[in-house]
Amino acid sequence: MIPARTLLVGSGRIGTRVAEELRRAGGEVVTVRRSAASDSDGWRHIAADLSRPLTESLPAVDAVVVTLPPGEEQGFLAGAIGRVAEALPEPPARTIWVSSTRVFEGYGDERPLDEDDEPRTRSDRAQQLVDGEERAVELFGATILRPAGIYGPGRDRLIRQVLAGTPVDHDRRTNRIHETDVVRTILTLLQADEVPAVLHAVDRRPATLGEVVAFLAERLGVPVPPRGEPAERRGTILDGTRLTEVVDGLAYPTFEDGYGEMLAQRG
């Protein structure tokens, strides 16, 4: 059963789609976002700059979903979830913190990584994600969801690169998840009786960047982009076994499925 009332912190593409699905299923939705917005889409919006304390209390909710990106300041994410906690009258029964597999950027190609592997960061943005995860667990006992590279309609940068013939690092190891499957995973976690502490949102087809652009080029009828200079970070392979135990089948289990549909819709 969906939560009676859910607070969505962050209203990007993922947050908006989750809100739409919750409302469609009869749940009440409240969103916290930086900019003001009307409530014409069917739920209440609260404008708040989470780099500062909230100026109004938040309503009691049954669940919280946080989809905030890292901010300009290193402590933004950890501070933001702390300010949300201060503004809520009581902790919710379920909290989903949407992070990123970027927290593993410090690994090489030792082996596929799973949810038992500890983050290993190399950048300030990745460390900010880890700090936010830890604070969300401390304050809310949050489930940490780490999507890999999210793609889908409106997220077609790689298609545009192939059409432009932009050189890419063909040997870079990559992982992906379609936006639809990220949304389905969040909805599943909100309704499940028991949830894992950490979950990687990755599809079943890790691939080198060269494999992906070759597929796209063949479907688009253009030359395969040339090899660019090897990137310093060669990428990792992530094990998505636990996701298959939580979600009943992915809508797009491989990049061929997801990108194939996107290309078909281009006409």
Side-chain angles (χ1 to χ4, degrees):
M1 181 179 296
I2 66 166
R5 179 188 287 165
T6 302
L7 176 70
L8 296 171
V9 183
S11 292
R13 293 179 59 91
I14 298 296
T16 298
R17 289 190 60 181
V18 170
E20 291 170 346
E21 293 298 325
L22 290 172
R23 286 286 295 129
R24 189 172 293 118
E28 183 180 350
V29 173
V30 180
T31 66
V32 174
R33 50 184 293 164
R34 179 182 291 272
S35 58
S38 72
D39 299 337
S40 59
D41 44 17
W43 57 84
R44 176 186 174 192
H45 296 289
I46 297 174
D49 179 357
L50 289 174
S51 65
R52 301 180 177 86
L54 277 72
T55 57
E56 64 178 291
S57 296
L58 296 172
V61 294
D62 303 287
V64 172
V65 178
V66 183
T67 58
L68 291 174
E72 296 299 323
E73 297 183 4
Q74 178 58 34
F76 170 71
L77 286 178
I81 192 61
R83 294 179 185 100
V84 170
E86 292 171 356
L88 284 169
E90 58 185 10
R94 179 72 48 85
T95 297
I96 310 300
W97 178 271
V98 182
S99 182
S100 167
T101 55
R102 183 172 185 167
V103 301
F104 296 113
E105 65 185 9
Y107 283 90
D109 60 353
E110 299 96 318
R111 54 183 169 75
L113 304 176
D114 63 24
E115 287 84 351
D116 293 328
D117 287 297
E118 293 295 322
R120 187 183 295 176
T121 64
R122 296 183 63 177
S123 68
D124 289 343
R125 290 179 71 82
Q127 186 58 48
Q128 188 178 154
L129 289 166
V130 173
D131 293 343
E133 291 181 1
E134 293 176 347
R135 189 64 170 148
V137 171
E138 176 187 348
L139 293 172
F140 292 110
T143 288
I144 306 303
L145 178 64
R146 295 173 179 151
I150 302 173
Y151 73 104
R155 299 178 185 265
D156 59 353
R157 179 178 60 87
L158 192 56
I159 293 175
R160 288 184 278 109
Q161 286 182 322
V162 171
L163 287 171
T166 305
V168 300
D169 180 1
H170 280 234
D171 297 323
R172 181 175 175 80
R173 297 176 295 274
T174 64
N175 304 265
R176 285 174 182 74
I177 189 75
H178 195 283
E179 180 181 282
T180 293
D181 285 316
V182 178
V183 173
R184 292 178 67 243
T185 301
I186 293 171
L187 294 170
T188 298
L189 292 173
L190 286 173
Q191 298 175 77
D193 292 334
E194 297 183 4
V195 294
V198 181
L199 185 63
H200 293 168
V202 295
D203 68 20
R204 299 176 186 170
R205 178 76 158 85
T208 63
L209 190 54
E211 291 177 278
V212 181
V213 297
F215 170 81
L216 294 175
E218 188 275 330
R219 290 295 183 91
L220 290 165
V222 299
V224 176
R227 287 179 174 269
E229 291 296 322
E232 177 185 357
R233 300 169 187 168
R234 306 315 306 274
T236 56
I237 296 298
L238 298 167
D239 185 333
T241 301
R242 189 173 298 178
L243 181 66
T244 65
E245 298 169 352
V246 174
V247 178
D248 184 19
L250 297 179
Y252 304 93
T254 72
F255 72 82
E256 292 100 334
D257 297 316
Y259 276 121
E261 180 178 278
M262 289 172 64
L263 293 176
Q265 292 175 345
R266 287 174 62 93

